[in-house]
Amino acid sequence: MENINIPRLDLNDYVNGDKNQRKQFSDAIGRAFNETGFVTITNHGLDKAVIDKLYEDVKALFALPDAIKQKYEIPGLAGQRGYTGKGKETAKGFKAADLKEFWQIGQTVTDGSFLKDEYPDNIVVEELPSFNATTLEVYKKLEAAGKYLLEAIATYLNLPENYFDDKVHNGNSILRTLHYFPIDNPDAIPEDAVRAGAHEDINLITLLIGASADGLELLTRENKWFPVKAYGEDLVVNVGDMLQRLTNNKLRSTTHRVVNPPRELMKFSRYSVPFFLHPKADMDLSCLPSCVDDEHPIQYTDITAGEYLDERLREIGLKK
């Protein structure tokens, strides 16, 4: 297997480090995002107790009867809040739906911004009060970590460190709690059905809080699948398509998937919790001039983040 650059980086080196430590962090994340699109991050602000409580609440949510979960599936929201049931999301280019169900939590605007009226309210799970409190806490902590990571990325791109700040403040970010449900009879599912078909994320960056089982793989430049593993409570962070567009492919939105386990393990659940860091809808995703030259001509048409999100939600079947 070829050498794959997925470095383990300490966010504390950037947040509280000296000038050299901050530069080393920025260079390392930029280099990895240029080569593989993935890093793992330690000291990100979420301690083990919070992560353990999160997974406890997530497992309790998906253990609720289908009839209860389905009352939280709200038509017209394209799955952006509350519950999305089995068989609803299909990776772009695939015919069989992913073998998963999920719940999404969005932005909570508290500073009087007009965006409070633009975003739908989060759905409160009446049966599990702690789920609502825990996911809100996790959302805010991952949002804070993500802003630091974007500062480091901006520095790598020779942009002002605060380039992304006003674009992601009250951004349209999503915390998704995922359940890859048990398959008791693998022969009964479509031959090409997998837990998550090969895809790229839509947003700027994704911060993933581990998972309860293996299965995440990325596609290398040599067109080979490589398993991505995190240490302990580390975050797995990857580039999304919005950042790839903005940087004219300088930073890679790497294709990844969640493969099915061996047949004898398909009867067990898998859980994971990604945080999709989105900007506000009006962010201009036009390629940065600094990422365009004779060797790297513009690869994308101009589009806003909101327009691009709408286009992609239709492609994956969440929006009609």
Side-chain angles (χ1 to χ4, degrees):
M1 179 65 72
E2 65 270 33
N3 183 36
I4 302 296
N5 181 25
I6 306 177
R8 184 177 188 233
L9 304 178
D10 187 337
L11 187 56
N12 190 56
D13 288 347
Y14 185 82
V15 177
N16 295 310
D18 59 28
K19 183 177 179 181
N20 287 336
Q21 287 175 305
R22 289 166 66 85
K23 184 178 189 307
Q24 286 176 358
F25 183 98
S26 178
D27 287 347
I29 197 171
R31 187 164 55 250
F33 279 176
N34 181 268
E35 294 175 11
T36 62
F38 276 79
V39 299
T40 63
I41 298 290
T42 187
N43 287 326
H44 41 69
L46 275 176
D47 61 34
K48 185 176 186 302
V50 172
I51 294 174
D52 288 348
K53 181 67 171 108
L54 173 67
Y55 272 96
E56 177 186 316
D57 287 338
V58 168
K59 290 175 182 178
L61 173 77
F62 290 114
L64 291 172
D66 285 348
I68 291 179
K69 289 182 289 188
Q70 286 163 2
K71 76 177 184 179
Y72 294 116
E73 192 160 10
I74 313 299
L77 290 185
Q80 297 307 287
R81 300 291 186 276
Y83 178 68
T84 297
K86 302 166 185 175
K88 297 293 178 66
E89 184 174 77
T90 304
K92 182 180 176 181
F94 283 72
K95 292 182 179 178
D98 289 346
L99 302 174
K100 68 190 182 191
E101 57 182 340
F102 57 90
W103 183 287
Q104 297 206 148
I105 298 98
Q107 183 65 260
T108 302
V109 177
T110 59
D111 61 1
S113 167
F114 73 92
L115 287 169
K116 183 173 179 60
D117 296 326
E118 300 284 321
Y119 295 142
D121 291 336
N122 281 311
I123 309 299
V124 175
V125 187
E126 298 168 355
E127 293 81 2
L128 295 171
S130 68
F131 176 87
N132 311 304
T134 302
T135 51
L136 177 61
E137 178 185 3
V138 169
Y139 185 109
K140 291 301 181 185
K141 288 188 173 180
L142 290 178
E143 187 175 44
K147 287 179 180 178
Y148 283 122
L149 294 172
L150 287 175
E151 284 183 11
I153 292 165
T155 301
Y156 174 76
L157 294 170
N158 295 314
L159 297 168
E161 184 181 67
N162 64 352
Y163 175 83
F164 289 99
D165 286 3
D166 64 329
K167 299 169 179 61
V168 300
H169 175 67
N170 285 331
N172 193 22
S173 296
I174 292 289
L175 182 71
R176 172 183 279 196
T177 68
L178 268 163
H179 178 217
Y180 301 98
F181 47 82
I183 304 295
D184 292 322
N185 180 11
D187 294 326
I189 62 173
E191 188 175 336
D192 57 345
V194 294
R195 285 181 158 175
H199 66 283
E200 301 78 45
D201 292 342
I202 300 171
N203 40 289
L204 290 170
I205 56 174
T206 300
L207 294 76
L208 173 69
I209 309 174
S212 63
D214 292 338
L216 177 63
E217 297 182 344
L218 68 82
L219 189 64
T220 69
R221 289 190 176 183
E222 291 73 32
N223 213 37
K224 296 179 181 177
W225 289 104
F226 182 84
V228 181
K229 296 180 184 293
Y231 174 86
E233 286 73 50
D234 287 3
L235 299 178
V236 176
V237 181
N238 64 276
V239 176
D241 280 353
M242 289 185 183
L243 188 57
Q244 177 172 268
R245 288 184 76 104
L246 185 71
T247 63
N248 197 37
N249 293 341
K250 181 178 178 67
L251 304 184
R252 290 170 50 89
S253 176
T254 303
T255 302
H256 54 286
R257 66 185 184 183
V258 179
V259 296
N260 295 338
R263 286 176 64 93
E264 66 272 14
L265 297 179
M266 286 193 72
K267 61 185 177 182
F268 298 106
S269 288
R270 181 184 189 270
Y271 303 89
S272 70
V273 183
F275 178 77
F276 302 117
L277 199 159
H278 282 262
K280 290 181 283 198
D282 62 359
M283 180 181 177
D284 184 1
L285 296 180
S286 302
C287 297
L288 293 166
S290 59
C291 295
V292 178
D293 56 30
D294 290 342
E295 291 184 16
H296 305 93
I298 289 179
Q299 299 295 307
Y300 300 102
T301 56
D302 296 347
I303 197 169
T304 66
E307 291 167 341
Y308 185 62
L309 175 62
D310 185 75
E311 175 184 302
R312 290 292 300 277
L313 289 176
R314 295 178 192 278
E315 288 176 346
I316 62 177
L318 289 180
K319 197 168 188 177
K320 303 301 182 187

